[in-house]
Amino acid sequence: MKCAPMKFKLNKSVYLSIFFIIFLLFLKTDYRLVTDIYCCGDDHDYFMHASTIAFDFDLDYSNQMEGIENKRYNNNGKIAPRGFIGTGILSAPFLFLGNIIDAMFGDSSQVLVTNYKIIFYSLSPIVYLYASIILMLKSLRILGKNVSFVEIALLTLGSGAAYFGFERFSMTHVYEIFTISGVIFLSLKIYTSDKENKTLYFLLSIFLLVSLLTRWVNYFVVLIPIILHNISPKKNKLVYKNLLFNVFSVFSILLFLFLSKATYGVYTFNPQILYGVNKVDSLISEISFSFLISNIQNFYKLFFSQEFGLLFFNPIVAIGFIISFFKLIRKINLQNVLIIISYLQVFGLILLWGSTASSYGFRYSLCLVPLSIILYKTSGIESLFLKYSTYLLSIFSCFSVLFFESTPGTQLSLTEVTNVFGNNVRYSQPNYLSGYIESLFSLNAYLKIFATSYLGFFIFYILINMFSKDSLIGFMEKLNLPTTNQDFLDLLDQINNISTGMVLILLLFTVWLGLNSYKYYSVKSKN
């Protein structure tokens, strides 16, 4: 049975024009126009992992972390970043390529605002985000669902993943989405294949390994093959009952232990050792009837609060959980129980920390995006209200990424404030929803969005090269435009200190991504 093709389709030139504008508007200069990523924080941790792999081909961080040996992980002289190594493994090839191009074309005599290493490293999460969307799209087509690239992209980017792909590029969350998308796709391929494919079993064991290496506490990923076994249209043998897969899994476990020893100096599966905290132990010890009762209010806040409530700023995960919850009420079976366990494992950790984790949204919930998309599209609910509500909320959330930190009402606090859970923390914004809505009517917000985007960067790059910086400022002053805006002045300075080669790479990457996405946009869905 073939699914009906999309009824509405843009031609290639119109699609590419729209893609070009939207992509460059979301692509931010804030973290990309730098020459290095400095200590200390999560961004730096993952960059250190990628650096030692890409430059030295080892897991000795002594030269990468010289002078900051005691600021991150240090176990009897064995120093390492605190962040998990999986992100570094996945992003290292991009950093390696950027380093080669820097050696070939970089000019140390120029004072540049960035370099090829940072440019290629910063493109890594965008490639993996695109790959995640394709993997989810293909997974749903295996399940016989009529889906488009645009639909899956909207649901994914509307989760807040856009921020970690297009702005905070050195964080782990896009890589979590990618590895879990891979686990879903490979599981479905195995269950629907007409004959046993050894390569698929091997790849699935590797994706499970890298998924856990990317974030050690995403334990629910091992439940996904079991959950999908019941969703799959065919019922080949459960992967965990396959001898070959179990052999590959033993190899993956040994490799995990080897990497933990090489990186941190100990054989361990315990992520608490890296951070020197006992949060997971605390969660296990706290789980009780009284704990669950006391967290009902916090659970409600997680979904509906102004401070990045999931329904407003990660709607696909919120809706996926709600659907799964009602499915469990209607029918208690292994599949529905495992799905709820997957959600509660992640939500439990968020409630234990009692914060949004000092960035955009409840970022720890992003790992649930691929599973939520699959559950949402296979729920069997044909309600137009649910469909369009999900799309509208996803669009609302997508634009929120653009307006994040564009006005005081959308900025995270630099001092301690009381967050939605009643905890005093820095980098919080308990009134983000109302601040976001107010920023929609702020001219300064739009100016900042444009001035900190690559769309603004490229437009002014062309104008400055056609005329001059002074001529451009003079012309804008005659039009009474705000030429004294600091973001605008910083943008002009950055344009003067970037090479043409770097600009061309970013433009060519945008065109390449647009052309590839159009292939999936225009292709008919297949069973």
Side-chain angles (χ1 to χ4, degrees):
M1 171 182 168
K2 293 185 177 181
C3 298
M6 291 179 295
K7 295 179 180 180
F8 177 75
K9 184 175 72 174
L10 298 173
N11 65 47
K12 182 182 287 189
S13 59
V14 174
Y15 175 87
L16 291 178
S17 298
I18 295 172
F19 180 91
F20 190 82
I21 292 171
I22 294 176
F23 182 85
L24 293 180
L25 191 63
F26 274 86
L27 191 66
K28 293 296 183 178
T29 60
D30 303 59
Y31 290 88
R32 283 181 167 81
L33 293 182
V34 296
T35 55
D36 206 347
I37 299 175
Y38 298 100
C39 184
C40 291
D42 291 344
D43 306 77
H44 177 261
D45 280 350
Y46 303 122
F47 184 62
M48 289 298 95
H49 281 307
S51 296
T52 195
I53 296 169
F55 302 154
D56 303 334
F57 308 108
D58 62 25
L59 294 177
D60 179 0
Y61 299 85
S62 56
N63 55 331
Q64 274 80 28
M65 301 180 69
E66 187 174 358
I68 55 171
E69 291 87 353
N70 295 314
K71 292 187 177 181
R72 302 310 283 166
Y73 176 87
N74 191 325
N75 179 27
N76 296 322
K78 175 59 179 173
I79 61 171
R82 283 181 178 166
F84 307 115
I85 195 173
T87 297
I89 292 172
L90 291 169
S91 59
F94 292 84
L95 188 57
F96 175 75
L97 181 58
N99 190 46
I100 291 175
I101 296 177
D102 244 345
M104 295 172 61
F105 302 108
D107 188 348
S108 59
S109 65
Q110 285 184 283
V111 180
L112 299 175
V113 292
T114 189
N115 52 52
Y116 289 105
K117 290 192 290 287
I118 295 296
I119 285 177
F120 276 84
Y121 179 69
S122 73
L123 296 180
S124 172
I126 298 176
V127 172
Y128 283 113
L129 192 56
Y130 170 75
S132 302
I133 294 168
I134 298 303
L135 285 170
M136 284 185 277
L137 184 146
K138 288 188 173 184
S139 296
L140 286 165
R141 289 182 177 176
I142 289 173
L143 295 170
K145 300 301 176 181
N146 183 13
V147 292
S148 70
F149 175 86
V150 173
E151 180 182 10
I152 302 304
L154 176 61
L155 296 175
T156 305
L157 299 179
S159 69
Y163 177 74
F164 298 99
F166 293 96
E167 192 159 352
R168 289 288 295 277
F169 58 84
S170 193
M171 298 287 276
T172 185
H173 307 295
V174 167
Y175 301 95
E176 293 177 56
I177 292 172
F178 167 72
T179 55
I180 293 172
S181 299
V183 169
I184 290 172
F185 172 72
L186 290 167
S187 297
L188 289 173
K189 285 289 287 184
I190 289 171
Y191 292 143
T192 57
S193 294
D194 293 328
K195 58 181 180 179
E196 186 176 275
N197 188 321
K198 297 178 182 179
T199 303
L200 290 177
Y201 284 113
F202 174 73
L203 288 174
L204 178 58
S205 68
I206 293 298
F207 264 82
L208 285 167
L209 167 67
V210 179
S211 182
L212 289 170
L213 285 171
T214 302
R215 186 162 175 77
W216 285 18
V217 295
N218 285 345
Y219 307 120
F220 74 93
V221 70
V222 300
L223 303 178
I224 289 177
I226 305 174
I227 293 169
L228 294 176
H229 187 254
N230 290 322
I231 295 176
S232 173
K234 294 183 181 179
K235 295 290 190 293
N236 288 342
K237 184 190 295 184
L238 183 68
V239 293
Y240 291 117
K241 293 183 178 180
N242 184 279
L243 177 62
L244 187 61
F245 174 76
N246 288 322
V247 170
F248 290 143
S249 296
V250 170
F251 168 77
S252 294
I253 292 169
L254 293 175
L255 185 55
F256 186 103
L257 289 170
F258 167 78
L259 288 171
S260 78
K261 175 67 174 178
T263 306
Y264 305 109
V266 291
Y267 294 109
T268 183
F269 294 103
N270 186 1
Q272 299 173 106
I273 291 176
L274 279 63
Y275 290 91
V277 296
N278 295 310
K279 286 287 186 179
V280 176
D281 286 347
S282 299
L283 175 63
I284 294 171
S285 64
E286 286 286 338
I287 291 178
S288 63
F289 182 74
S290 60
F291 171 82
L292 295 175
I293 293 297
S294 66
N295 272 284
I296 288 175
Q297 186 177 8
N298 284 344
F299 199 82
Y300 176 85
K301 292 175 181 178
L302 174 64
F303 277 77
F304 303 106
S305 72
Q306 282 212 52
E307 189 170 11
F308 299 107
L310 293 179
L311 188 65
F312 310 114
F313 301 104
N314 192 346
I316 188 59
V317 167
I319 291 168
F321 173 77
I322 292 169
I323 290 172
S324 301
F325 178 75
F326 282 106
K327 285 181 69 175
L328 180 65
I329 291 176
R330 287 171 51 193
K331 185 177 182 180
I332 298 177
N333 58 23
L334 179 62
Q335 177 194 345
N336 292 338
V337 169
L338 292 181
I339 290 170
I340 291 298
I341 288 174
S342 299
Y343 280 98
L344 293 182
Q345 187 246 306
V346 176
F347 293 161
L349 289 172
I350 293 173
L351 295 176
L352 183 66
W353 284 102
S355 77
T356 61
S358 307
S359 190
Y360 179 87
F362 287 100
R363 58 191 180 95
Y364 295 147
S365 68
L366 287 170
C367 58
L368 292 167
V369 169
L371 180 61
S372 297
I373 290 176
I374 297 296
L375 296 175
Y376 167 69
K377 295 300 295 183
T378 59
S379 65
I381 300 174
E382 304 296 334
S383 168
L384 287 177
F385 174 78
L386 176 63
K387 177 180 178 180
Y388 289 110
S389 295
T390 305
Y391 292 161
L392 288 173
L393 286 168
S394 295
I395 292 170
F396 180 81
S397 179
C398 266
F399 279 101
S400 164
V401 172
L402 286 178
F403 285 88
F404 181 54
E405 300 203 316
S406 63
T407 61
T410 59
Q411 290 174 345
L412 301 182
S413 63
L414 298 178
T415 58
E416 285 193 356
V417 297
T418 303
N419 71 2
V420 68
F421 298 115
N423 298 320
N424 293 323
V425 295
R426 294 172 65 193
Y427 309 119
S428 180
Q429 180 48 270
N431 297 309
Y432 182 78
L433 178 59
S434 56
Y436 166 41
I437 293 173
E438 288 172 7
S439 70
L440 294 172
F441 304 96
S442 169
L443 177 60
N444 284 331
Y446 290 93
L447 291 173
K448 182 162 187 176
I449 290 168
F450 184 73
T452 57
S453 72
Y454 267 98
L455 181 64
F457 184 93
F458 285 135
I459 289 174
F460 284 113
Y461 179 87
I462 293 169
L463 292 174
I464 286 177
N465 281 277
M466 287 177 62
F467 306 104
S468 69
K469 178 181 175 181
D470 293 336
S471 298
L472 177 62
I473 292 175
F475 177 73
M476 293 181 68
E477 286 175 344
K478 289 179 182 179
L479 297 175
N480 293 319
L481 294 173
T483 55
T484 58
N485 180 281
Q486 191 57 49
D487 291 313
F488 170 71
L489 296 175
D490 290 343
L491 177 66
L492 297 187
D493 289 337
Q494 291 166 339
I495 289 170
N496 280 332
N497 293 292
I498 192 169
S499 72
T500 303
M502 295 174 184
V503 173
L504 288 174
I505 283 176
L506 289 168
L507 285 172
L508 289 172
F509 176 79
T510 306
V511 172
W512 171 80
L513 203 62
L515 288 171
N516 274 277
S517 68
Y518 183 76
K519 288 192 300 186
Y520 288 97
Y521 167 79
S522 60
V523 170
K524 295 179 181 180
S525 300
K526 296 180 180 178
N527 190 351

